[in-house]
Amino acid sequence: MIRQEQMQVVNQRQIATNIFELTLSGHLAHEMNQPGQFVHIRVSDQLEPLLRRPISISSINKEALEFTMIYRADGRGTILLSEKKQGDQVDVLGPLGNGFSIDKVQAGQKALLVGGGIGVPPLYELSKRLVDKGVQPIHVLGFQTKDVVFYEKQFTELGETFIVTADGSFGHAGFVTNVLETLEDDFSVYYSCGPTPMLAALEKMYPEKEGYLSLEQRMGCGIGACFACVCETTEKTDADYVKVCSDGPVFESGVIRV
Amino acid sequence: MIRQEQMQVVNQRQIATNIFELTLSGHLAHEMNQPGQFVHIRVSDQLEPLLRRPISISSINKEALEFTMIYRADGRGTILLSEKKQGDQVDVLGPLGNGFSIDKVQAGQKALLVGGGIGVPPLYELSKRLVDKGVQPIHVLGFQTKDVVFYEKQFTELGETFIVTADGSFGHAGFVTNVLETLEDDFSVYYSCGPTPMLAALEKMYPEKEGYLSLEQRMGCGIGACFACVCETTEKTDADYVKVCSDGPVFESGVIRV
Amino acid sequence: MNRLAVELPGLSLKNPIMPASGCFGFGKEYAQLYDLSKLGAIMIKATTPETRLGNPTPRVAETPAGMLNAIGLQNPGLTKVMENELPWLEQYDVPIIANVAGYITEDYVAVAEAISKAPNVHALELNISCPNVKQGGITFGTDPKVAEELTRAVKAVSSVPVYVKLSPNVTNVNDIGKAVEAGGADGITMINTLLGMRLDTKTGRPVIANVTGGLSGPAIKPVALRMVYDVAKQVSIPIIGMGGIATIDDVIDFLSAGASAVAVGTANFVDPFVCPTLIDELPNKLDELGFNTVSELVGRSHRL
Amino acid sequence: MNRLAVELPGLSLKNPIMPASGCFGFGKEYAQLYDLSKLGAIMIKATTPETRLGNPTPRVAETPAGMLNAIGLQNPGLTKVMENELPWLEQYDVPIIANVAGYITEDYVAVAEAISKAPNVHALELNISCPNVKQGGITFGTDPKVAEELTRAVKAVSSVPVYVKLSPNVTNVNDIGKAVEAGGADGITMINTLLGMRLDTKTGRPVIANVTGGLSGPAIKPVALRMVYDVAKQVSIPIIGMGGIATIDDVIDFLSAGASAVAVGTANFVDPFVCPTLIDELPNKLDELGFNTVSELVGRSHRL
Ligand SMILES: Cc1cc2nc3c(=O)[nH]c(=O)nc-3n(C[C@H](O)[C@H](O)[C@H](O)COP(=O)(O)OP(=O)(O)OC[C@H]3O[C@@H](n4cnc5c(N)ncnc54)[C@H](O)[C@@H]3O)c2cc1C
Ligand SMILES: Cc1cc2nc3c(=O)[nH]c(=O)nc-3n(C[C@H](O)[C@H](O)[C@H](O)COP(=O)(O)OP(=O)(O)OC[C@H]3O[C@@H](n4cnc5c(N)ncnc54)[C@H](O)[C@@H]3O)c2cc1C
Ligand SMILES: Cc1cc2nc3c(=O)[nH]c(=O)nc-3n(C[C@H](O)[C@H](O)[C@H](O)COP(=O)(O)O)c2cc1C
Ligand SMILES: Cc1cc2nc3c(=O)[nH]c(=O)nc-3n(C[C@H](O)[C@H](O)[C@H](O)COP(=O)(O)O)c2cc1C
Ligand code: FES
Ligand code: FES
């Protein structure tokens, strides 16, 4: 169920240049059942900045009624969010949208997880759940440069992890696709979140594979009412369009015109 | 000289219902030479609320490079200001305007100080300076009710002090004028800050006396450029109008059409 | 007696607060959050004869205390709205105001005639003020004569009272208000969005794919309030006011300026519970101001 | 070579940033804070033939990310401005743009003829867009024909280039822009304020004594930017853009939309040093965006 709650900042820390990890606690965390969902955050109780910011859930701790986000403090709203301190309240709406399905992948099989930049966070909860299910995750994570790389250790603990930086300052140089080409495709499903060109490249690379892609769009309401976040669909579905906020953000590969 | 400075909150405390005493430190305090001047405060570094808030200087401590204001947290801006904590920065423009002149009153003489509500604060620095000069101040301070009365002790230490509340919940009941009628008018000058009707009543009561009145107006720039804060003048001056922010806020009695 | 109740042509409102068209879809999404029967009414998303897929994305951008949108009247089209959306809404005890749009007069007439027959549609809102479509929309809302004729044509076929939604992007909004009244409008809703744009400072490109969009939110409240105040003086039909409403004080201001009821748009995105919250806050606010009923408050600024 | 320099009719600007009319008086106050020679130019307060005492107070009110004002063109009148204000400004190496206003055409003509002879007045700005006076002002700015004729009449007597200041309170700002160009305007300045109002929620009374006022500040930036972008497409004379400029990104956006220079109004009240600050920030911003000169940046949004 979607809730709105003033959640408490349990902890906020900078984990890379302008990249923050924020953990919030509240009953809303109890509603979080799926990796890949997101929350819509009000960063100020003033009229400015006005709109909520959509941020993915990167890990969930139901027992503690806590969840964690990882975001880049870049524009006005996320910079304000990064100034929140332990004990402060944050107005959260969520959980929103439909996340990554792990139903079709079985224990013993392999799953490929491909993330780009601030698209990496939602893959963390996903990977934990795959591991719990006995699925073997392979992580390929792309970043611009060394100083914005995060969670290498956390992902490595869950499975084989390749870090790629555009400038080669850390891990492999180039794009995630450069690494993907070197991997054998013995995985049964792939999951990805990141820039649209990356998602498009993956669909081209693995036309036969079952895949799930998490998309981004500018949002208004975040719950499906305002038609701000629509995407064009392909023949693969009979819907004329989909809304990223309520039908997505995760879609089966091939459904969206990327 | 007028300066703009990010001043530091030395201390902020609530001294009556919704009434706050805020002390700031910075070089700007060094420019404060006259009681009755004011500062123009930016309460938020966001675009909302946008305009600065004019607040009187209630006491100055040049040695420590500190000054103190007393204000009512009422609307959006002052409520934000009241949330500032020790060590926070506040954007201050000042000192602004022309304050109370104490040149014409001599040691040994008496001065009447009449304040109403949030018009009381600037009289405190004034009274201290009069006492330093050997002038004997008499304070008549009007408030709505008991719970918004402040600085009774501070004023009493400086001289005879009458507190008046509209509802009689503290001190004398009624208006300051009720007390004034009971006082002999052996003072050589009077000073007042408060609601316009009160200022008008004083002018009527003491037509022969030399008096100084501090006025209020909605402000834009606070420094004389925008013509937001003008007041109509009387024959007593050849100026067609005056600006409260730069010609005032203190004017000789009779100059302004109140 | 319900002190919040308001009687308007076709509309017996429990309270004067309703979500504005396009900010509430067809109700399904907000129904997950609260009981829609609580609302005074619901202004549903613009409906056109045919299915519309709207403008390319990005369709929204944030601005100081406001936002721009260029949705482009995306909607499932008359048939689907009649078959799916409106029947679904019948489970709630709330009157629906159907926002009607089109390219040409015949479109408005066709949609109005059909949709006004739906049992829970108690009034129409003619959208002659959408700034985000190349044809139709605002072009009908900027010329008094055209607005008057369109109103008359729709009145001739509508089974329910017709409200006309005015655009603020005009030199003289009073003329348009008087014109639609002359055309037989039962009421006026105002304002739609102000035409604006935002650029991506890095690239110099418009943030919104449509280049320009409609400005809404608190930023436009002073313009909306002024227009409601002016038009209320000029017409004798009721006004449903909107434009930047986010707090209970905003509601009071629009009622004081002469609106008989108000609609809340952008604020739903900031606080999805804003409508029920404002409805709950209204009685205390009336007490605080010393008014017994909403109706007493309406237009008080003109009586001072 | 100065990368910030801009050449406009009558104006050789060191940089494209200047205070907007009415937000900077005649310079004396801000001269206490910084050297006025730093500014690209100064747009002085509107000057009318006679002394004007303006509207009753309160004259300003705060709104979401903006403010309302109804000063009412208070100014000392032509003679005093010529005798006291302009000569005083001569000590600074900065071109003055004289904002000219009046009730009737003859007023504009009289002020323009005289003030354009002042040595440091390098251009005129015809204020046909003031929303806060009952006669004159905006009435000249909403009808293309009237605007064109006034422009022509003033051009005939002015010794310096004439810029016309457009009102945003019109259905079609392009028509006004084209009309004043046809009337011989050397440039356009835009936008003036949007007509708005605020009510005191407690009493229901207008906060501003004049009832309505002009809306300015960041809230109106999207409207101003859209109008500059549109008019730049329609006219070949240069535009000085304004409306909500507070940050260096705002400056870049207006230049990108087609303004050759920009003016800063309300932001001076929020940060009295905003103009010199923006001038200091501009070179780094140009570097960051990869432009050598301001002129290269002008209108880039139209070339993408
Ligand atoms: C479903 C979803 C999940 C996301 N998850 C994450 C995450 O886990 N970590 C992370 O760092 N970022 C994430 N993003 C991107 C994040 O929403 C934007 O970076 C953020 O909104 C920018 O806000 P700002 O205040 O920094 O920038 P501003 O420039 O101040 O934003 C202005 C407006 O544009 C919108 N906007 C700007 N960039 C984007 C964008 N890329 N996507 C959507 N709206 C945008 C803002 O929401 C705001 O309404 C996600 C986006 C979506 C749609
Ligand atoms: C010269 C001068 C000295 C002042 N000294 C004091 C003081 O020492 N202590 C104190 O408590 N108050 C003082 N005031 C009044 C104080 O400025 C207002 O109470 C304050 O600006 C209200 O802001 P707000 O955010 O609470 O209200 P809002 O309603 O949010 O204010 C909205 C706008 O209206 C303006 N405004 C509202 N009320 C007033 C007012 N009474 N006078 C001027 N502008 C107003 C605000 O500045 C702001 O621009 C003084 C005013 C002036 C002109
Ligand atoms: C995302 C969005 C979509 C809108 N769609 C419509 C619409 O379909 N029909 C219409 O008449 N108005 C539409 N509007 C205008 C609103 O109904 C309302 O008139 C305007 O937003 C001002 O109110 P606000 O400031 O409370 O948002 C839309 C506004 C927004 C923000
Ligand atoms: C207090 C005030 C006074 C103004 N006076 C004038 C004026 O005398 N003449 C004029 O052409 N514009 C006047 N304006 C309009 C500004 O010059 C400017 O066009 C408008 O405020 C938009 O810019 P901004 O958002 O940066 O303030 C005034 C604006 C304000 C806020
Ligand atoms: S953001 Fe409103 S529909 Fe998706
Ligand atoms: S506030 Fe601008 S002149 Fe006084």
Side-chain angles (χ1 to χ4, degrees):
Chain A
M1 197 190 89
I2 300 175
R3 303 176 62 141
Q4 180 189 16
E5 185 178 0
Q6 292 290 338
M7 299 185 78
Q8 269 234 341
V9 176
V10 175
N11 179 47
Q12 165 137 266
R13 62 189 187 110
Q14 185 161 7
I15 58 176
T17 305
N18 296 334
I19 305 289
F20 290 80
E21 179 198 63
L22 173 60
T23 301
L24 300 177
S25 80
H27 297 289
L28 199 150
H30 185 72
E31 309 290 336
M32 298 179 168
N33 301 315
Q34 233 186 352
Q37 288 182 294
F38 68 100
V39 292
H40 214 23
I41 294 188
R42 189 166 176 193
V43 293
S44 157
D45 48 14
Q46 301 302 311
L47 298 171
E48 235 293 299
L50 187 69
L51 297 176
R52 289 174 177 270
R53 292 348 194 209
I55 305 286
S56 301
I57 297 161
S58 74
S59 63
I60 306 165
N61 180 343
K62 273 205 177 193
E63 298 60 46
L65 285 179
E66 292 179 1
F67 82 99
T68 299
M69 295 166 283
I70 296 167
Y71 64 95
R72 181 169 63 219
D74 187 2
R76 301 200 32 247
T78 49
I79 286 169
L80 279 173
L81 187 61
S82 69
E83 291 162 0
K84 301 271 184 185
K85 311 223 164 330
Q86 189 167 35
D88 288 352
Q89 305 238 309
V90 179
D91 178 340
V92 181
L93 178 69
L96 300 174
N98 301 300
F100 296 106
S101 155
I102 61 172
D103 302 345
K104 299 225 187 79
V105 54
Q106 305 313 331
Q109 297 181 316
K110 284 187 182 173
L112 176 67
L113 281 61
V114 185
I118 56 172
V120 168
L123 300 181
Y124 184 56
E125 179 67 25
L126 170 64
S127 184
K128 287 196 294 180
R129 302 215 173 188
L130 288 167
V131 170
D132 291 347
K133 188 172 178 175
V135 176
Q136 182 188 332
I138 303 154
H139 314 108
V140 182
L141 311 176
F143 300 92
Q144 280 306 314
T145 66
K146 182 178 196 296
D147 55 323
V148 292
V149 173
F150 58 88
Y151 266 40
E152 186 205 6
K153 192 172 139 299
Q154 286 87 332
F155 278 100
T156 308
E157 283 167 2
L158 293 168
E160 195 177 5
T161 301
F162 303 86
I163 304 290
V164 190
T165 55
D167 65 355
S169 52
F170 188 86
H172 305 259
F175 298 114
V176 291
T177 44
N178 303 128
V179 170
L180 293 175
E181 283 150 1
T182 69
L183 300 176
E184 38 184 315
D185 59 2
D186 57 349
F187 55 89
S188 51
V189 56
Y190 71 91
Y191 299 95
S192 184
C193 182
T196 315
M198 186 185 92
L199 303 180
L202 282 166
E203 283 195 339
K204 284 255 299 302
M205 275 182 90
Y206 308 116
E208 304 311 324
K209 295 274 188 186
E210 166 151 6
Y212 295 91
L213 310 176
S214 182
L215 276 78
E216 259 191 21
Q217 268 290 10
R218 300 276 169 145
M219 294 187 175
C221 66
I223 63 173
C226 75
F227 293 92
C229 65
V230 301
C231 287
E232 257 186 277
T233 51
T234 63
E235 322 49 63
K236 215 176 148 184
T237 165
D238 40 347
D240 313 336
Y241 65 90
V242 291
K243 298 169 188 164
V244 168
C245 69
S246 50
D247 301 321
V250 176
F251 297 94
E252 270 191 56
S253 60
V255 170
I256 308 296
R257 225 174 271 294
V258 284
Chain B
M1 197 190 87
I2 300 175
R3 303 179 61 143
Q4 180 191 14
E5 186 179 1
Q6 292 289 339
M7 299 185 78
Q8 269 234 342
V9 175
V10 175
N11 179 47
Q12 166 138 263
R13 61 186 188 111
Q14 184 160 5
I15 58 175
T17 306
N18 295 334
I19 305 289
F20 291 80
E21 180 197 62
L22 172 60
T23 301
L24 301 177
S25 79
H27 297 288
L28 198 149
H30 185 73
E31 308 290 338
M32 297 179 169
N33 301 315
Q34 235 186 347
Q37 287 183 296
F38 69 101
V39 293
H40 215 24
I41 295 189
R42 190 168 175 193
V43 293
S44 158
D45 49 12
Q46 302 301 311
L47 299 172
E48 236 291 300
L50 187 68
L51 297 175
R52 289 175 178 268
R53 295 338 196 214
I55 306 284
S56 302
I57 297 162
S58 73
S59 63
I60 307 165
N61 180 344
K62 272 205 176 194
E63 299 59 47
L65 285 180
E66 293 179 359
F67 83 99
T68 298
M69 294 166 285
I70 296 167
Y71 65 94
R72 181 170 62 222
D74 186 3
R76 300 201 32 246
T78 49
I79 286 170
L80 279 173
L81 187 62
S82 69
E83 290 162 359
K84 301 271 185 186
K85 310 223 164 336
Q86 191 170 38
D88 288 351
Q89 305 239 309
V90 179
D91 178 339
V92 181
L93 178 69
L96 301 174
N98 301 300
F100 296 106
S101 156
I102 60 171
D103 301 346
K104 299 226 186 78
V105 55
Q106 305 312 331
Q109 296 181 313
K110 285 186 181 172
L112 175 67
L113 281 62
V114 184
I118 56 173
V120 168
L123 300 180
Y124 184 56
E125 179 67 27
L126 169 65
S127 185
K128 287 196 294 181
R129 302 218 173 187
L130 289 167
V131 170
D132 291 347
K133 190 173 177 176
V135 177
Q136 184 188 330
I138 302 153
H139 314 108
V140 181
L141 312 176
F143 301 92
Q144 280 305 315
T145 65
K146 183 177 195 294
D147 56 321
V148 292
V149 174
F150 57 88
Y151 267 37
E152 185 204 8
K153 190 170 141 298
Q154 286 87 334
F155 278 100
T156 309
E157 282 167 3
L158 293 168
E160 198 177 3
T161 301
F162 303 86
I163 305 288
V164 189
T165 53
D167 65 356
S169 54
F170 188 85
H172 305 259
F175 298 114
V176 291
T177 44
N178 303 129
V179 170
L180 293 175
E181 283 151 2
T182 69
L183 299 178
E184 37 185 318
D185 59 359
D186 57 346
F187 55 89
S188 50
V189 55
Y190 70 91
Y191 300 95
S192 185
C193 183
T196 316
M198 186 185 93
L199 303 180
L202 282 166
E203 283 196 342
K204 283 253 299 300
M205 276 182 88
Y206 308 117
E208 306 310 324
K209 295 274 188 186
E210 166 150 7
Y212 296 92
L213 310 175
S214 183
L215 277 78
E216 259 191 19
Q217 268 290 8
R218 301 273 168 148
M219 293 187 174
C221 66
I223 63 174
C226 75
F227 293 92
C229 66
V230 300
C231 288
E232 258 188 277
T233 50
T234 63
E235 333 33 73
K236 212 174 150 186
T237 164
D238 39 344
D240 314 332
Y241 64 90
V242 291
K243 298 170 189 163
V244 167
C245 69
S246 51
D247 301 320
V250 176
F251 298 95
E252 271 192 56
S253 59
V255 170
I256 309 296
R257 224 174 271 296
V258 284
Chain C
M1 163 270 196
N2 169 3
R3 58 194 299 212
L4 300 190
V6 176
E7 284 298 324
L8 298 178
L11 302 164
S12 295
L13 307 176
K14 291 183 200 77
N15 63 68
I17 292 163
M18 64 192 79
S21 179
C23 302
F24 207 74
F26 295 93
K28 282 208 178 68
E29 297 75 19
Y30 288 91
Q32 304 169 78
L33 301 179
Y34 60 84
D35 176 5
L36 302 187
S37 302
K38 182 152 196 188
L39 299 167
I42 295 174
M43 291 168 150
I44 58 174
K45 177 72 186 167
T47 300
T48 54
E50 71 298 344
T51 304
R52 284 207 201 177
L53 292 180
N55 293 323
T57 59
R59 294 176 172 186
V60 293
E62 191 175 54
T63 69
M67 71 176 280
L68 291 165
N69 90 82
I71 306 299
L73 299 185
Q74 174 160 22
N75 78 94
L78 179 61
T79 319
K80 289 212 187 91
V81 170
M82 296 283 290
E83 284 169 4
N84 313 332
E85 308 300 347
L86 288 169
W88 181 86
L89 278 164
E90 285 182 39
Q91 66 187 291
Y92 298 101
D93 168 31
V94 59
I96 305 302
I97 301 173
N99 189 264
V100 174
Y103 296 116
I104 55 174
T105 305
E106 290 63 27
D107 293 341
Y108 285 90
V109 168
V111 174
E113 180 158 23
I115 210 165
S116 66
K117 294 198 173 62
N120 53 342
V121 169
H122 293 212
L124 303 185
E125 179 182 43
L126 291 195
N127 180 2
I128 59 169
S129 43
C130 180
N132 300 324
V133 289
K134 301 269 155 294
Q135 290 173 285
I138 200 166
T139 50
F140 285 98
T142 51
D143 178 333
K145 277 265 135 299
V146 178
E148 178 176 347
E149 276 146 31
L150 181 72
T151 306
R152 190 168 288 114
V154 169
K155 269 299 284 182
V157 300
S158 176
S159 318
V160 297
V162 174
Y163 293 68
V164 181
K165 187 164 186 176
L166 304 189
S167 168
N169 302 293
V170 295
T171 306
N172 189 333
V173 71
N174 294 341
D175 293 348
I176 314 282
K178 284 183 279 186
V180 300
E181 181 176 35
D186 300 283
I188 287 172
T189 64
M190 60 193 292
I191 61 175
N192 208 316
T193 54
L194 279 159
L195 203 50
M197 86 185 280
R198 180 179 170 176
L199 291 174
D200 177 325
T201 307
K202 280 202 191 71
T203 64
R205 290 206 169 72
V207 170
I208 290 198
N210 187 52
V211 179
T212 61
L215 181 63
S216 63
I220 70 168
K221 182 193 163 188
V223 174
L225 197 61
R226 185 264 302 179
M227 290 187 168
V228 167
Y229 182 87
D230 286 350
V231 172
K233 280 214 200 89
Q234 303 287 331
V235 303
S236 48
I237 50 177
I239 297 171
I240 300 175
M242 68 194 87
I245 295 177
T247 68
I248 192 66
D249 282 10
D250 297 330
V251 172
I252 299 300
D253 291 347
F254 275 83
L255 296 174
S256 303
S260 301
V262 300
V264 180
T266 302
N268 290 288
F269 308 157
V270 180
D271 171 7
F273 292 92
V274 64
C275 288
T277 302
L278 292 175
I279 292 164
D280 292 338
E281 291 174 345
L282 191 48
N284 294 338
K285 196 68 186 185
L286 287 177
D287 295 340
E288 190 187 312
L289 296 170
F291 287 88
N292 286 322
T293 67
V294 164
S295 326
E296 285 173 24
L297 191 70
V298 172
R300 73 169 164 153
S301 299
H302 299 280
R303 296 187 295 269
L304 295 169
Chain D
M1 161 267 197
N2 168 4
R3 59 194 299 212
L4 300 188
V6 176
E7 284 297 324
L8 298 178
L11 302 164
S12 296
L13 308 175
K14 294 184 198 76
N15 63 66
I17 291 163
M18 65 192 79
S21 179
C23 303
F24 208 73
F26 295 94
K28 281 208 178 72
E29 297 75 19
Y30 288 91
Q32 304 170 79
L33 301 178
Y34 60 85
D35 176 5
L36 302 186
S37 301
K38 185 153 195 191
L39 298 166
I42 295 174
M43 291 167 150
I44 57 174
K45 177 72 187 169
T47 301
T48 53
E50 71 298 343
T51 304
R52 282 206 202 177
L53 293 180
N55 294 323
T57 59
R59 294 176 170 185
V60 293
E62 191 175 54
T63 69
M67 69 176 281
L68 292 164
N69 89 84
I71 306 299
L73 299 184
Q74 174 160 23
N75 78 95
L78 179 61
T79 318
K80 289 210 185 94
V81 170
M82 296 284 291
E83 284 171 5
N84 313 332
E85 308 299 346
L86 289 170
W88 182 86
L89 277 163
E90 283 181 40
Q91 66 187 292
Y92 298 101
D93 168 29
V94 58
I96 305 302
I97 301 173
N99 189 265
V100 173
Y103 296 116
I104 55 174
T105 305
E106 289 63 30
D107 293 341
Y108 285 89
V109 168
V111 174
E113 179 158 25
I115 210 165
S116 66
K117 294 194 173 61
N120 52 343
V121 170
H122 293 213
L124 304 184
E125 179 183 44
L126 291 195
N127 179 2
I128 57 169
S129 44
C130 179
N132 301 324
V133 288
K134 302 271 156 292
Q135 291 174 286
I138 200 166
T139 52
F140 285 97
T142 50
D143 177 333
K145 277 266 135 296
V146 177
E148 177 174 348
E149 276 146 30
L150 181 72
T151 306
R152 190 169 288 117
V154 168
K155 268 300 282 182
V157 300
S158 176
S159 316
V160 297
V162 174
Y163 292 69
V164 181
K165 186 164 186 174
L166 303 190
S167 168
N169 303 293
V170 295
T171 306
N172 189 333
V173 70
N174 293 342
D175 292 348
I176 313 283
K178 284 184 279 187
V180 300
E181 181 176 36
D186 300 284
I188 287 171
T189 66
M190 60 193 292
I191 60 173
N192 208 318
T193 53
L194 279 158
L195 204 50
M197 88 184 279
R198 181 179 168 173
L199 292 174
D200 177 326
T201 307
K202 281 202 192 70
T203 64
R205 289 205 169 72
V207 170
I208 290 198
N210 186 53
V211 179
T212 61
L215 182 63
S216 63
I220 71 169
K221 182 193 165 191
V223 174
L225 197 61
R226 185 264 302 180
M227 289 188 167
V228 167
Y229 182 88
D230 285 350
V231 172
K233 280 216 203 87
Q234 303 287 330
V235 302
S236 50
I237 50 177
I239 296 171
I240 300 176
M242 68 194 87
I245 295 177
T247 69
I248 192 66
D249 282 10
D250 297 331
V251 172
I252 299 299
D253 291 347
F254 274 84
L255 296 174
S256 303
S260 300
V262 300
V264 181
T266 302
N268 289 288
F269 308 157
V270 180
D271 172 6
F273 292 92
V274 64
C275 288
T277 301
L278 292 174
I279 292 164
D280 292 338
E281 291 174 346
L282 191 47
N284 293 338
K285 195 69 186 185
L286 287 177
D287 295 341
E288 190 187 313
L289 296 170
F291 288 87
N292 285 321
T293 67
V294 164
S295 328
E296 287 173 23
L297 191 70
V298 173
R300 72 170 165 152
S301 300
H302 298 280
R303 296 188 295 269
L304 295 169

